[in-house]
Amino acid sequence: MSCLFCKIIRQEIPANIVYEADDILAFEDVNPQAPVHILVIPRKHIATTLDITDDDNELIGKMHQVAAKIAQDRSVADKGFRLVMNCNRDAGQTVFHIHLHLIGGRPMNWPPG
Ligand code: AMP
Ligand code: ZN
């Protein structure tokens, strides 16, 4: 499969992995938008938020728990952080394997651009 994040899961391309479990992986974003910018992904290939099924509900919840744990480990939890999952073109999704952006370490604007 040509999916970039599946290649990272299969260790065909390198990544700075910060968390590993049997169902979830987290690694540093290659183009960080803040002092902390980590991507939390399921090992299962799910293309977009629109493709999440009932079978994935536990997995999606766990992705959020992993993100929260990493936010605490990186000391951005108290000040605050953002979790973002972009879906399709208008949101700027470029990799079609769902990923939770954990962004923190600086103040952020709302609404996002
Ligand atoms: P999105 O635009 O929401 O699909 O996010 C894709 C993210 O993947 C972007 O923030 C990219 O910087 C990041 N990215 C792309 N290629 C890699 C890679 N090889 N390793 C780590 N992050 C990557
Ligand atoms: Zn994939």
Side-chain angles (χ1 to χ4, degrees):
M1 205 197 276
S2 64
C3 168
L4 181 68
F5 288 173
C6 282
K7 285 182 180 167
I8 288 177
I9 289 162
R10 294 196 301 261
Q11 298 183 321
E12 290 170 12
I13 61 172
N16 254 334
I17 291 168
V18 301
Y19 174 89
E20 260 187 300
D22 57 353
D23 49 358
I24 289 173
L25 197 67
F27 51 90
E28 305 274 358
D29 195 293
V30 79
N31 182 24
Q33 302 301 312
V36 174
H37 189 171
I38 288 162
L39 302 175
V40 180
I41 71 170
R43 288 187 190 271
K44 177 183 177 184
H45 180 88
I46 302 171
T48 79
T49 305
L50 298 167
D51 302 299
I52 295 167
T53 69
D54 286 349
D55 288 346
D56 304 319
N57 286 341
E58 195 177 330
L59 179 63
I60 301 302
K62 196 170 166 193
M63 286 169 64
H64 286 74
Q65 286 185 298
V66 167
K69 172 77 167 59
I70 296 169
Q72 287 172 318
D73 290 348
R74 294 295 177 98
S75 305
V76 297
D78 287 348
K79 276 193 160 179
F81 57 90
R82 191 168 286 174
L83 300 180
V84 176
M85 189 179 285
N86 295 320
C87 183
N88 281 340
R89 187 181 52 230
D90 272 5
Q93 185 176 5
T94 58
V95 179
F96 287 82
H97 179 132
I98 58 166
H99 46 283
L100 208 48
H101 293 259
L102 162 60
I103 302 166
R106 66 166 171 81
M108 281 168 266
N109 298 322
W110 191 264

